[in-house]
Amino acid sequence: MKQFSRKQFLNRSIVLASTLSLLGGEWFLYAKDPEKVINVEPPEGLKPISENDPTAQALGFHQDAKNTDFILYPERKLPQSKNHVCNQCVQFTKLNDGWGKCNILQAGVVSTNGWCSAWSKKN
Ligand code: SF4
């Protein structure tokens, strides 16, 4: 078995601790703010639409499609639904790598990984 010097052990421990800290911090952000689903800021001056917006709620919208209510929308569990996200929706206009505008939900920007029941395939 390979032996590590004390210096190598410390270096690897620091790298591991930093990595875990970053991952843990990111997860904490997501857990604390469910609308912060991606690590890209919305374009300047624009805010993500709230999932509590009445229209968003009526359409079962979530900024992260994985948070869909699968009891209300069981079709979302089908394998072919995997790529049904805002980024692939005809109503979506990309603004940056993480966000875009939706023609239906106009109170804020939507995540590229979002979904609502009005989803329709982009041609
Ligand atoms: S209509 Fe399309 S782009 Fe708009 S929120 Fe629903 S899935 Fe996303």
Side-chain angles (χ1 to χ4, degrees), residues 15-29:
V15 169
L16 179 63
S18 301
T19 303
L20 290 175
S21 168
L22 286 173
L23 291 174
E26 198 66 25
W27 181 87
F28 177 74
L29 276 178

Side-chain angles (χ1 to χ4, degrees), residues 87 92-101 112 122:
N87 199 23
F92 185 82
T93 304
K94 182 178 175 178
L95 295 173
N96 69 16
D97 284 345
W99 303 94
K101 284 191 170 206
T112 53
K122 192 181 276 186

Side-chain angles (χ1 to χ4, degrees), residues 61 86 89 91-92 102 104-105 116 119:
F61 174 76
C86 292
C89 177
Q91 304 296 342
F92 185 82
C102 169
I104 296 173
L105 301 179
C116 85
W119 186 89

Side-chain angles (χ1 to χ4, degrees), residues 51-104:
E51 292 178 357
N52 294 323
D53 173 89
T55 308
Q57 277 190 327
L59 293 173
F61 174 76
H62 284 280
Q63 294 284 12
D64 185 346
K66 291 178 188 152
N67 294 332
T68 299
D69 183 338
F70 293 107
I71 294 171
L72 273 177
Y73 304 103
E75 71 277 13
R76 293 286 301 143
K77 285 185 183 172
L78 300 173
Q80 61 266 36
S81 296
K82 188 177 167 194
N83 294 327
H84 293 185
V85 290
C86 292
N87 199 23
Q88 302 295 320
C89 177
V90 70
Q91 304 296 342
F92 185 82
T93 304
K94 182 178 175 178
L95 295 173
N96 69 16
D97 284 345
W99 303 94
K101 284 191 170 206
C102 169
N103 292 330
I104 296 173

Side-chain angles (χ1 to χ4, degrees), residues 42-54:
E44 195 172 330
L46 298 175
K47 292 179 101 175
I49 187 170
S50 168
E51 292 178 357
N52 294 323
D53 173 89

